[in-house]
Amino acid sequence: MLKKVKFKPPQVLVLGFAGIILIGTLLLMLPVSSVNGQALSFIDAFFTATSATCVTGLVVVDTGTHFTLFGQIVIILLIQIGGLGFMSMATLFAFILRKKISLKERLLLQEALNQGSVEGIVRLFRKVLIYSMTIEGIAAVLFTLRWSQDLGFAKGLYYGIWHAVSFFNNAGFDLFGPVTGKFSSLTAYADDFVINMVSVSLIILGGIGFIVISDLIEYPSKKRLSLHSKLVLSATGILIALGTLVIFIFEYSNAKTLGSLGLGGKLLASLFQSVTPRTAGANTLDLPALRQATQFFIIVLMFIGASPGSTGGGIKTTTFTTLVGAIIAMVRGKQDIVFFRNRLGKDRIFKAITLTMFALLFVILVTMLLSTTEDHDFLMILFEVVSAFGTVGLSLGLTTQLTIFGKVTIALTMFAGRLGLLTLAYALQPKKEKELYRYPEGKITIG
């Protein structure tokens, strides 16, 4: 009699995402998905499906010109499933069928939504669905009203819905290839106030996480925010303001980027390019034309990424804030990291350090590998790797020129970035054994 295999929640998540990617790959390979009626190669279909499911936005073929309506719908469904998490979608069907959510399913939801316990997890999931649909719906209406002026109502409505889903899930896919040129993203709307502000709002809301959104909505009645929400909002605000200032200063006189825009356009474009490394992937400036200092600064922003429990990737704003807090505490000779009169536990600090070191080593390894197989500038390769790991989707033009090995490597990097390196590590680790003893404490010299 065969022994029943029991999977841990992280293993179920890994296998679930892999399954969704495989299904997406097969659908995108169908001739009906391509405008030319020819089947997309397995590697390119796999890359596109991975990028969509991992809500990244890196593309080897232009979405708007290569894919038919069927192919575009497959991609946007992969983005929605990948953004909310396949377990969230499975739970949605359970709600529709009026099925009871089991403890095992609650544990999977806990892992998928990156929560510390199962308490209130189903209630949080209901909020996630309501908030997502409401935000995407409002944005779709605003986009439709604006794009109907340029594209007509029918196309404006389709573009409005499609891009609202893409941008809220921080995917960065766009359909503007037939309108403004292949791989053009939102460059034609660099100084358009409505498009910029709706897009920026979607990206920020998708990037701060559903816990924070819930906290903000309930603030009028509760009159308080959790420590997590305070840290996320503070870190996000500071990073966006700092990014806007740095990009504005570095690119102000660059004729190929901000130089040709008026003051209002310069500020809008700087703000957008500061927000989009939150893992969104859309851009309103020509990224290869940016100065190298700006490109490297964007790499740093992409590595930090979005916030826990969101649709974005990166090491997360709370991890970065914890590291900064540790530095400040060490310099000031303090034993504890304190934020808003709350002390962080040592387990949080160790997790932040572990996650950051994992991420750094992973990015270094992948960059070294691609530096030997891809004949391109180092900064271009590093930009691509960090963009894939942070599930950002920004590129300096390398994606379409990748070798088969490069495409597979970047696809796996997107997969690791979406699920999280710690989740993958937990999924692969053997069964835990209780430690029977501890070694005596030793002292070493640091620094």
Side-chain angles (χ1 to χ4, degrees):
M1 190 172 179
L2 293 174
K3 186 178 179 182
K4 189 176 179 180
V5 179
K6 291 185 178 180
F7 292 105
K8 295 180 290 185
Q11 292 172 328
V12 175
L13 284 181
V14 171
L15 293 173
F17 267 94
I20 296 297
I21 290 170
L22 179 59
I23 293 170
T25 300
L26 296 176
L27 290 174
L28 293 177
M29 286 179 67
L30 296 174
V32 71
S33 292
S34 300
V35 171
N36 59 15
Q38 297 178 0
L40 190 64
S41 69
F42 174 80
I43 291 297
D44 287 349
F46 169 69
F47 189 98
T48 305
T50 304
S51 183
T53 307
C54 298
V55 290
T56 304
L58 291 174
V59 290
V60 288
V61 293
D62 181 69
T63 309
T65 56
H66 182 89
F67 292 105
T68 60
L69 177 64
F70 176 81
Q72 292 171 9
I73 290 174
V74 169
I75 289 172
I76 205 63
L77 287 175
L78 291 175
I79 290 171
Q80 187 71 82
I81 294 170
L84 293 179
F86 85 95
M87 263 313 299
S88 297
M89 301 305 293
T91 308
L92 172 61
F93 284 114
F95 278 152
I96 294 172
L97 297 173
R98 298 182 179 277
K99 283 181 62 181
K100 187 177 180 181
I101 309 301
S102 67
L103 177 60
K104 183 179 179 181
E105 289 166 337
R106 289 169 191 263
L107 289 169
L108 286 168
L109 270 179
Q110 174 195 344
E111 189 73 30
L113 296 175
N114 199 20
Q115 298 303 295
S117 70
V118 295
E119 185 181 354
I121 197 70
V122 175
R123 187 169 62 253
L124 174 62
F125 167 72
R126 287 196 184 98
K127 291 179 181 178
V128 166
L129 281 180
I130 294 170
Y131 299 159
S132 297
M133 297 303 108
T134 303
I135 293 169
E136 289 175 358
I138 294 171
V141 171
L142 295 174
F143 274 149
T144 299
L145 292 174
R146 173 62 187 86
W147 279 325
S148 292
Q149 300 173 19
D150 300 338
L151 310 172
F153 178 74
K155 196 169 185 178
L157 176 63
Y158 176 59
Y159 271 45
I161 296 171
W162 207 95
H163 291 89
V165 174
S166 178
F167 292 170
F168 176 70
N169 287 286
N170 279 209
F173 279 81
D174 72 90
L175 302 177
F176 283 96
V179 181
T180 55
K182 290 184 178 181
F183 308 107
S184 58
S185 192
L186 297 179
T187 51
Y189 298 95
D191 56 355
D192 188 297
F193 182 80
V194 174
I195 299 300
N196 274 266
M197 295 314 296
V198 175
S199 300
V200 163
S201 300
L202 280 172
I203 295 166
I204 293 174
L205 288 172
I208 59 177
F210 297 109
I211 308 169
V212 179
I213 295 174
S214 177
D215 255 11
L216 288 173
I217 291 174
E218 294 174 1
Y219 180 77
S221 58
K222 289 186 176 181
K223 299 298 181 185
R224 66 181 180 84
L225 293 174
S226 65
L227 175 62
H228 172 82
S229 295
K230 289 178 182 177
L231 279 181
V232 167
L233 292 172
S234 300
T236 300
I238 291 170
L239 287 170
I240 290 174
L242 178 63
T244 303
L245 180 63
V246 169
I247 293 169
F248 182 81
I249 293 172
F250 283 11
E251 297 297 320
Y252 187 87
S253 59
N254 187 346
K256 296 179 180 178
T257 55
L258 294 184
S260 59
L261 301 173
L263 180 60
K266 284 182 170 68
L267 289 170
L268 274 179
S270 298
L271 172 65
F272 194 97
Q273 262 56 232
S274 174
V275 170
T276 197
R278 291 273 73 74
T279 81
N283 57 284
T284 58
L285 295 179
D286 183 18
L287 298 181
L290 295 172
R291 293 191 168 107
Q292 284 194 344
T294 309
Q295 292 172 352
F296 187 77
F297 180 72
I298 289 175
I299 289 174
V300 175
L301 293 179
M302 291 193 298
F303 185 76
I304 296 170
S307 302
S310 72
T311 56
I315 63 170
K316 304 295 192 292
T317 52
T318 48
T319 302
F320 177 71
T321 306
T322 301
L323 296 178
V324 171
I327 294 170
I328 293 172
M330 179 63 70
V331 170
R332 296 177 62 187
K334 303 289 185 180
Q335 287 188 340
D336 298 324
I337 300 175
V338 178
F339 291 115
F340 300 101
R341 296 184 180 180
N342 284 268
R343 171 175 56 85
L344 294 189
K346 282 189 168 60
D347 62 321
R348 302 293 90 189
I349 301 167
F350 285 138
K351 186 173 183 179
I353 294 170
T354 303
L355 196 151
T356 304
M357 288 305 299
F358 265 25
L360 275 173
L361 292 172
F362 184 80
V363 166
I364 290 169
L365 176 62
V366 176
T367 304
M368 288 175 65
L369 279 174
L370 292 185
S371 293
T372 61
T373 63
E374 315 299 315
D375 187 21
H376 294 280
D377 293 338
F378 176 78
L379 187 63
M380 181 182 282
I381 293 172
L382 178 63
F383 194 101
E384 191 86 6
V385 172
V386 176
S387 179
F389 169 74
T391 68
V392 180
L394 298 176
S395 177
L396 298 181
L398 177 60
T399 314
T400 55
Q401 303 176 50
L402 289 169
T403 62
I404 292 177
F405 177 83
K407 289 177 182 177
V408 173
T409 303
I410 290 295
L412 293 176
T413 302
M414 291 188 285
F415 186 74
R418 177 65 183 98
L419 284 167
L421 294 175
L422 289 183
T423 298
L424 287 176
Y426 292 150
L428 296 173
Q429 74 177 5
K431 188 177 179 180
K432 285 184 178 180
E433 293 184 3
K434 187 177 180 180
E435 294 182 4
L436 301 178
Y437 56 87
R438 294 178 70 189
Y439 291 101
E441 184 177 319
K443 294 185 178 180
I444 60 173
T445 302
I446 300 293

